[in-house]
């Protein structure tokens, strides 16, 4: 090709170069910026899902509540569940996969930077698409697990939006998973063997496998649901179709999904406990292998969500046993965490408090989970508030506490400022107290027989007191979240500067400046051990006590603790692009077109997406050189 034709083609598809301002964010392919966008967006959805929860709790504060109609209630609990799972916990995990995982591996970016941007924009598009249904007062209203045939028969657009929205979000997560798997397999720094990877990266790895295999199952079921609703097919909706087919498909996705939600938090906590106990993680290989074991065993337990549908004693017994078995690798992790704390010199900083809160609350949720594994017990509990108690202990007490631990831990790396410890402690205690006030009473209400997904309960059933307590608790949680936002605002300008390594960390992200430069590492590090950074800082004396390596010796050995990001040596980073954004914009447009049966609109959306993908393939690999 002649020089002239290169120049011509690159001017047709010039790559954007803005380094600041809105366009620099819209066109970014930097994994750190994408991580921040995931985090901020997930927080916005957390507030929305929280407001929905507060409305639900206001309605249930007293018997025969009048705040919401039955229809509004159905929409709110469905959107609350969908929001918290798909728009809060999964993307908060993705925020850390994006921001931290490449740095912890010693890489400069993920394997496919533009695909990474596309994942984010598709996630945002899917979320906006779902929420747009509130404007026509027809949000999804068939529960987050959308049981068919109900979800086929429900009138209005709600469950069509559900199917399409989850398909869009599934595209986002699937391409992200492929991207992260490739990154972990191919982009580790020299010496970073698999068994030297930080546990958080390992758990990320397991989660991406789960996503790649679990999401297609859901996607198939969602397409069938969509076809039943829009084209009149009969996969689920008719008297001849199998009434529990949907449940099998959904939970074959849904149980791996709960590990997709919890494993990132387990990884985060496994990073934090060693740092704040000044000890290596107890039994690193066991924590890794139990995570992998969970990844495999998670496929063999789905029918514990279906004990009451009448699968018969053989199936029920088999799934009861497999469910009790999967508690073993989970229990193993808990022993490893406690072993890490044992004899450590513990610093109760905010990330540590949230990690300890995670362990305690997750144990409660795990134990009530094992009680559902006992089939006769589950007959009693299913569809009651006891189940709602259980999954909030694992999803909120577990995942959300673990993710907040990560936020407090990595905040100084991401922003360069420490969050305030006093406000952080206040946030933690308010959240812990509010959480238990809200959800512990659900165990009692459930065992008393209060049904979930019901917008009112009658007087004189003995449900009044604990419901009121729970509603008060929900507002205490809301207050705790406000405390967090206050902490963010307060420390934005006046916060203490963090420096590269504020917590005396063990992993590679603490070797580079806070916030990291665009290229992360001026020189790609060479890794010699698990917890490599720690070994550069400390050696053991004859009695096994830790002694810091003298600063001079570090320099001499080429193991500087800071200053990796000094000079960029002309490092070449991937160029920005408009195309991921354009390709993603088409997706919700297709969704609206199908929902309202305006097929021309769906075609417009499809054309936009394909144009974006086409131009993506053709655009020059770097920005024009002037
Ligand atoms: C402010 C905190 C929260 C409160 C007060 C709250 C309250 C509730 C209540 C009362 C229900 C039951 C509604 C019903 O069955 O009629 C519910 C359902 C649910 N919640 Fe939460 N929740 C909170 C946070 C969370 C979080 C953090 C998650 C997940 C990470 C979550 C996930 C779910 C799910 C999946 C459902 C089931 C929805 C369905 O049945 O389709 N919630 N929540
Ligand atoms: Cu399950």
């Amino acid at each position: 090709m002649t020089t002239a034709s290169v120049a011509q083609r690159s001017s047709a598809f010039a790559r954007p170069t803005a380094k600041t301002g809105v366009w620099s964010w819209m066109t970014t392919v930097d994994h750190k910026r994408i991580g921040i966008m995931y985090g901020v967006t997930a927080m916005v959805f957390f507030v929305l899902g929280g407001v929905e929860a507060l409305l639900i709790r206001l309605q249930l504060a007293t018997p025969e509540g009048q705040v919401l109609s039955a229809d509004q209630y159905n929409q709110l609990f469905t959107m609350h569940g969908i929001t918290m799972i798909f728009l809060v916990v999964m993307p908060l995990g993705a925020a850390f996969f994006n921001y931290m995982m490449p740095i912890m591996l010693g890489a400069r970016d993920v394997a496919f930077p533009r695909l990474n941007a596309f994942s984010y924009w598709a996630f945002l598009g899917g979320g906006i698409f779902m929420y747009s249904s509130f404007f026509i007062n027809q949000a999804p209203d068939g529960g987050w697990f959308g049981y068919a045939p109900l979800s086929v028969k429900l009138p209005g657009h709600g469950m069509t939006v559900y199917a399409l929205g989850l398909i869009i979000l599934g595209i986002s997560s699937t391409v992200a998973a492929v991207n992260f798997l490739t990154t972990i397999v191919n982009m580790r720094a020299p010496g970073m063997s698999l068994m030297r990877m930080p546990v958080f990266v390992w758990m990320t790895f397991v989660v991406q496998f789960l996503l790649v295999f679990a999401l297609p199952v859901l996607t198939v079921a969602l397409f069938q649901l969509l076809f039943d609703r829009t084209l009149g097919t009969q996969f689920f909706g008719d008297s001849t179709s199998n009434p529990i087919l949907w449940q099998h498909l959904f939970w074959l996705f849904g149980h791996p999904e709960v590990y997709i939600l919890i494993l990132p938090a387990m990884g985060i906590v496994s990073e934090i406990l060693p740092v704040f106990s000044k000890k290596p993680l107890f039994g690193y290989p066991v924590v890794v292998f139990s995570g992998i074991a969970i990844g495999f065993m998670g496929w063999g337990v789905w029918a514990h969500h279906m004990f009451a549908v009448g699968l018969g004693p053989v199936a029920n017994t088999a799934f009861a046993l497999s469910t009790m078995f999967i508690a073993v690798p989970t229990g193993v992790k808990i022993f490893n965490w406690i072993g890490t704390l044992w004899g450590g010199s513990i610093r109760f900083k905010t990330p540590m408090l949230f990690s300890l809160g995670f362990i305690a609350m997750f144990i409660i949720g795990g134990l009530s989970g094992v009680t559902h594994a006992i089939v006769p017990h589950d007959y009693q509990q299913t569809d009651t508030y006891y189940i709602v108690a259980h999954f909030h202990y694992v999803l909120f007490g577990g995942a959300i506490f673990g993710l907040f631990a990560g936020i407090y831990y990595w905040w100084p790396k991401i922003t360069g400022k420490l969050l305030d410890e006093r406000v952080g402690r206040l946030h933690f205690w308010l959240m812990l107290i509010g959480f238990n006030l809200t959800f512990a009473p659900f165990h009692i209400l459930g065992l008393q027989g209060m049904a979930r997904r019901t917008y009112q309960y009658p007087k004189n059933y003995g449900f009044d007191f604990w419901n009121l307590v729970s509603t008060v608790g929900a507002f205490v949680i809301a207050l705790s979240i406000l405390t967090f936002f206050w902490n963010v605002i307060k420390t934005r300008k006046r916060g203490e500067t963090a420096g590269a390594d504020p917590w005396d960390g063990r992993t590679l992200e603490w070797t580079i400046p806070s916030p990291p430069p665009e290229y992360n590492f001026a020189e790609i590090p060479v890794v010699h051990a698990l917890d490599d950074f720690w070994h550069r800082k400390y050696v053991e004396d004859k009695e096994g006590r830790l002694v810091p390596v003298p600063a001079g010796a570090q320099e001499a050995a080429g193991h500087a603790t800071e200053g990796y990001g000094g000079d960029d040596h002309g490092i070449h980073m991937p160029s920005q692009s408009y195309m991921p954004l354009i390709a993603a914009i088409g997706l919700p447009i297709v969704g609206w077109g199908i929902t309202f049966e305006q097929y021309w609109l769906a075609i417009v959306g499809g054309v936009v997406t394909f144009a974006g993908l086409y131009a993506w393939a053709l655009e020059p690999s770097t920005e024009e050189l002037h």
Side-chain angles (χ1 to χ4, degrees):
M1 204 187 290
T2 65
T3 339
S5 72
V6 171
Q8 226 170 12
R9 220 179 67 180
S10 33
S11 52
F13 291 111
R15 295 192 66 151
T17 50
K19 294 286 173 224
T20 52
V22 178
W23 278 106
S24 71
W25 288 87
M26 308 269 274
T27 59
T28 188
V29 296
D30 176 352
H31 70 102
K32 296 181 290 299
R33 285 186 157 207
I34 294 172
I36 292 171
M37 294 196 291
Y38 261 108
V40 171
T41 312
M43 273 296 160
V44 172
F45 283 121
F46 188 46
V47 171
L48 292 173
V51 169
E52 287 153 7
L54 292 178
L55 287 170
I56 293 172
R57 283 313 322 165
L58 279 178
Q59 164 73 8
L60 297 176
T62 53
E64 291 165 16
Q66 299 296 336
V67 179
L68 302 167
S69 69
D71 179 42
Q72 287 169 329
Y73 188 87
N74 290 346
Q75 296 183 34
L76 285 176
F77 80 69
T78 302
M79 282 302 283
H80 162 75
I82 293 171
T83 303
M84 289 301 188
I85 288 180
F86 294 99
L87 305 177
V88 179
V89 175
M90 285 173 79
L92 272 181
F96 291 123
F97 304 155
N98 262 297
Y99 201 107
M100 288 302 158
M101 181 267 287
I103 305 183
M104 292 171 103
L105 288 176
R108 291 203 171 116
D109 207 319
V110 294
F112 308 115
R114 283 181 292 173
L115 199 60
N116 202 20
F118 173 77
S119 296
Y120 169 75
W121 295 113
F123 150 63
L124 182 65
I128 291 175
F129 173 70
M130 288 264 196
Y131 266 84
S132 66
S133 61
F134 272 120
F135 291 112
I136 51 167
N137 200 14
Q138 293 184 33
D141 53 354
W144 88 277
F145 37 89
Y147 275 177
L150 177 68
S151 52
V152 179
K153 312 252 161 168
L154 277 171
H157 296 306
M159 294 315 281
T160 310
V161 169
Y162 166 90
L164 286 160
L166 290 188
I167 289 171
I168 297 173
L169 294 172
I171 294 172
S172 155
S173 298
T174 310
V175 294
V178 171
N179 203 348
F180 295 146
L181 284 174
T182 317
T183 306
I184 296 173
V185 171
N186 287 319
M187 300 190 51
R188 283 171 283 134
M192 177 66 83
S193 61
L194 289 179
M195 291 310 279
R196 286 180 188 163
M197 291 196 314
V199 176
F200 176 69
V201 177
W202 258 111
M203 295 306 114
T204 308
F205 200 35
V206 175
V207 167
Q208 309 316 314
F209 274 111
L210 289 173
L211 284 166
V212 163
F213 289 109
L215 282 168
V217 182
L218 177 67
T219 306
V220 168
L222 291 168
F223 270 107
Q224 291 176 324
L225 172 62
L226 186 66
F227 292 164
D228 274 11
R229 286 184 63 90
T230 53
L231 304 178
T233 56
Q234 300 293 356
F235 291 108
F236 308 117
D238 163 59
S239 57
T240 58
S241 44
N242 184 335
I244 59 169
L245 176 61
W246 169 270
Q247 296 192 28
H248 278 298
L249 291 172
F250 187 87
W251 289 116
L252 192 51
F253 150 79
H255 196 87
E257 169 72 10
V258 306
Y259 293 110
I260 291 167
L261 297 170
I262 198 70
L263 285 171
M266 290 179 160
I268 291 171
V269 167
S270 304
E271 296 299 325
I272 292 174
L273 292 174
V275 168
F276 293 91
S277 310
K278 238 180 183 331
K279 275 178 67 191
L281 183 67
F282 181 81
Y284 165 88
V286 180
V287 178
V288 169
F289 283 115
S290 60
I292 297 173
I294 290 175
F296 281 104
M297 292 168 76
W299 296 94
V301 298
W302 79 91
H304 63 208
H305 298 272
M306 304 165 61
F307 282 148
V309 303
L311 299 176
V314 177
N316 276 0
T317 311
F319 281 96
L321 287 175
S322 65
T323 303
M324 289 179 202
F325 259 122
I326 203 169
V328 175
T330 313
V332 163
K333 280 191 187 308
I334 290 171
F335 284 112
N336 281 288
W337 292 325
I338 295 172
T340 306
L341 296 170
W342 196 269
S345 46
I346 296 178
R347 287 177 294 160
F348 289 101
K349 298 280 186 186
T350 317
M352 186 63 162
L353 291 178
F354 275 99
S355 301
L356 297 173
F358 162 90
I359 296 177
M361 296 304 105
F362 185 74
I363 289 177
I364 299 176
L367 289 177
S368 65
V370 177
T371 70
H372 320 317
I374 303 160
V375 179
H377 212 284
D378 186 66
Y379 283 162
Q380 202 62 34
Q381 296 159 357
T382 193
D383 272 333
T384 71
Y385 265 80
Y386 189 90
I387 301 288
V388 184
H390 157 71
F391 68 69
H392 283 92
Y393 269 86
V394 290
L395 287 178
F396 192 145
I400 295 277
F401 272 73
L403 289 163
F404 266 115
I407 291 173
Y408 277 92
Y409 179 56
W410 280 311
W411 189 270
K413 177 53 58 190
I414 297 171
T415 64
K417 300 270 187 186
L418 285 160
L419 285 168
D420 187 282
E421 274 295 315
R422 278 193 16 241
V423 184
R425 274 199 297 274
L426 183 66
H427 170 194
F428 169 74
W429 286 110
L430 279 177
M431 194 155 117
L432 189 76
I433 293 168
F435 170 76
N436 282 291
L437 271 181
T438 311
F439 297 108
F442 284 6
H443 293 107
I444 303 168
L445 289 168
L447 292 179
Q448 286 177 334
M450 180 168 160
R452 69 187 277 204
R453 298 176 161 175
T454 317
Y455 88 117
Q456 283 181 333
Y457 53 91
K459 285 196 181 91
N460 305 322
Y461 269 47
F463 297 160
D464 306 14
F465 176 71
W466 288 117
N467 270 301
L468 189 59
V469 171
S470 170
T471 301
V472 172
F475 281 88
V476 177
I477 297 177
L479 190 65
S480 78
I481 302 300
L482 291 179
T483 324
F484 169 69
F485 291 137
W486 179 44
N487 203 344
V488 170
I489 295 165
K490 181 174 139 83
T491 55
R492 233 188 99 77
K493 290 245 158 57
R494 283 178 294 143
E496 217 182 300
T497 307
D501 182 22
W503 310 121
D504 200 6
R506 312 175 72 89
T507 37
L508 288 176
E509 74 273 30
W510 306 110
T511 63
I512 58 175
S514 312
E518 194 194 343
Y519 45 82
N520 298 345
F521 299 92
E523 263 167 61
I524 295 296
V526 178
V527 176
H528 302 279
L530 177 66
D531 289 340
D532 195 59
F533 184 39
W534 183 259
H535 295 296
R536 293 184 211 167
K537 293 189 288 189
Y538 294 96
V539 287
E540 285 184 4
D541 68 9
K542 289 199 195 76
E543 276 91 58
R545 281 185 305 244
L546 286 177
V547 278
V549 175
Q554 285 175 8
E555 304 295 330
H559 289 345
T561 52
E562 284 188 38
Y564 268 89
D567 172 17
D568 67 7
H569 303 306
I571 295 165
H572 186 77
M573 295 304 293
S575 305
Q576 288 156 238
S577 174
Y578 298 107
M579 301 316 159
L581 174 61
I582 293 172
I585 285 175
L587 297 175
I589 298 177
V590 173
W592 284 307
I594 296 177
T595 306
F596 299 114
E597 293 174 43
Q598 301 294 321
Y599 293 109
W600 62 270
L601 187 63
I603 292 169
V604 170
V607 169
V608 172
T609 292
F610 276 102
L613 294 176
Y614 195 70
W616 177 334
L618 291 187
E619 68 182 342
S621 62
T622 52
E623 68 250 26
E624 271 179 88
L625 298 171
H626 294 287

